[in-house]
Amino acid sequence: MMKNNLGGFDFLGKHYNQNNMEIVYANDIDDNACKIFEENFNLKPDNRDIREVESSELPDIDVLTGGFPCQSFSIIAQNPKRLGVKDDRGKLFFEMCRILREKQPKCFIAENVKGILTANKKEAFPLIIKEFENSGYTVKYQILNSANYGVPQKRERVIIVGFRNDLHIDFHFPESVIINSSEFEPLKKVIENSVDEKYYFSQRAVDGMMKCREKMNKGRAQDIEKPCNTVGGTSRKSLIE
């Protein structure tokens, strides 16, 4: 099994030291995501459906990380209320809890869009946290924005961190590195100088986007003097001025 240390790189003039962590396993059902992961981390992910992967097949781990779709959750009308799913995507959350219960790593990190806090009339998220706690972990969560930590993108995500109960660790989220939005890293610092023509919009598309820029949601005109807005997965159209 391939292993790779994390850290040990330079980004926007800052050096990030190599840490004492190794990636020993990765899983994603999307072929393109697997290719990008392998290119960046020199580790080929297991691209089977995670529901088909037995915990006994996984290596021993200290930290489990994962993201799971939130749009699949629903509250089944029962007494007491239980966490239900509308489709197979929602089962990824339960698979993460399954691995936590059966492998018992020291801690886990999960992430999701901030909308999960209000999903199902704010009833889904408390049940999600409860499932993590019932897996044997002390859990905390917080909304973090990547722009506050030197990334030239405004990306708010709910980060959920849990430590195994027997470790008695009182975790605290790190303070923001950048508080004043005027000091955020601008998009222009990471734009490539040479871009293939196939990635450019036609002039007609550019004119249309600029005309509707104030009401645009999915496709957005990006200001290179500011951090990039998050580009949604359902529409990856983004115009750079």
Side-chain angles (χ1 to χ4, degrees):
M1 181 175 294
M2 301 171 66
K3 296 184 178 181
N4 184 58
N5 290 324
L6 298 175
F9 62 89
D10 295 304
F11 181 68
L12 296 182
K14 296 180 182 179
H15 180 73
Y16 294 84
N17 293 325
Q18 190 174 82
N19 57 35
N20 198 30
M21 300 293 292
E22 292 179 324
I23 304 174
V24 295
Y25 178 83
N27 175 279
D28 200 300
I29 201 170
D30 184 271
D31 290 338
N32 289 326
C34 288
K35 290 177 183 177
I36 294 172
F37 187 94
E38 184 175 4
E39 182 70 22
N40 281 282
F41 297 104
N42 193 33
L43 188 151
K44 186 176 180 63
D46 179 351
N47 71 342
R48 292 178 293 168
D49 188 323
I50 191 62
R51 293 170 295 172
E52 299 174 0
V53 181
E54 299 290 338
S55 295
S56 59
E57 299 180 67
L58 303 179
D60 291 333
I61 53 176
D62 294 305
V63 182
L64 174 66
T65 65
F68 53 92
C70 70
Q71 65 267 37
S72 304
F73 290 106
S74 65
I75 302 302
I76 296 178
Q78 296 181 4
N79 188 18
K81 291 180 179 178
R82 297 177 182 176
L83 194 62
V85 292
K86 295 179 181 178
D87 56 47
D88 286 345
R89 291 174 298 179
K91 294 179 181 178
L92 296 178
F93 164 74
F94 295 102
E95 295 304 312
M96 190 171 184
C97 290
R98 169 180 66 88
I99 294 171
L100 287 174
R101 290 192 301 270
E102 296 177 3
K103 297 297 293 186
Q104 286 288 285
K106 292 179 180 178
C107 68
F108 75 86
I109 304 171
E111 66 86 25
N112 215 297
V113 296
K114 66 177 183 178
I116 196 173
L117 298 175
T118 55
N120 300 110
K121 299 180 180 179
K122 299 184 179 181
E123 293 183 319
F125 190 70
L127 295 180
I128 291 171
I129 294 299
K130 190 65 177 177
E131 288 289 323
F132 279 130
E133 291 174 340
N134 289 342
S135 298
Y137 291 82
T138 302
V139 182
K140 293 187 178 181
Y141 65 91
Q142 187 170 313
I143 297 176
L144 300 181
N145 186 344
S146 59
N148 292 125
Y149 298 90
V151 178
Q153 181 186 53
K154 291 181 287 185
R155 189 180 186 89
E156 290 184 303
R157 289 294 182 269
V158 176
I159 306 299
I160 307 168
V161 176
F163 279 87
R164 207 172 60 213
N165 289 335
D166 63 292
L167 297 177
H168 304 292
I169 293 178
D170 184 17
F171 173 77
H172 296 280
F173 283 90
E175 297 291 333
S176 295
V177 176
I178 304 173
I179 299 177
N180 192 332
S181 61
S182 65
E183 299 176 0
F184 285 164
E185 295 286 0
L187 175 61
K188 67 181 181 181
K189 285 192 175 183
V190 294
I191 294 177
E192 297 178 357
N193 293 323
S194 179
V195 180
D196 194 294
E197 287 291 331
K198 68 181 180 180
Y199 296 113
Y200 282 83
F201 285 109
S202 67
Q203 188 58 50
R204 180 180 178 182
V206 171
D207 293 341
M209 292 180 74
M210 294 302 293
K211 182 178 180 180
C212 303
R213 61 181 300 178
E214 297 302 324
K215 1 180 232 189
M216 291 173 70
N217 181 25
K218 297 298 183 182
R220 296 178 178 179
Q222 306 287 353
D223 184 348
I224 64 172
E225 299 296 333
K226 299 177 181 179
C228 177
N229 292 313
T230 300
V231 179
T234 55
S235 179
R236 295 178 177 84
K237 295 179 180 179
S238 185
L239 173 65
I240 295 176
E241 297 181 83

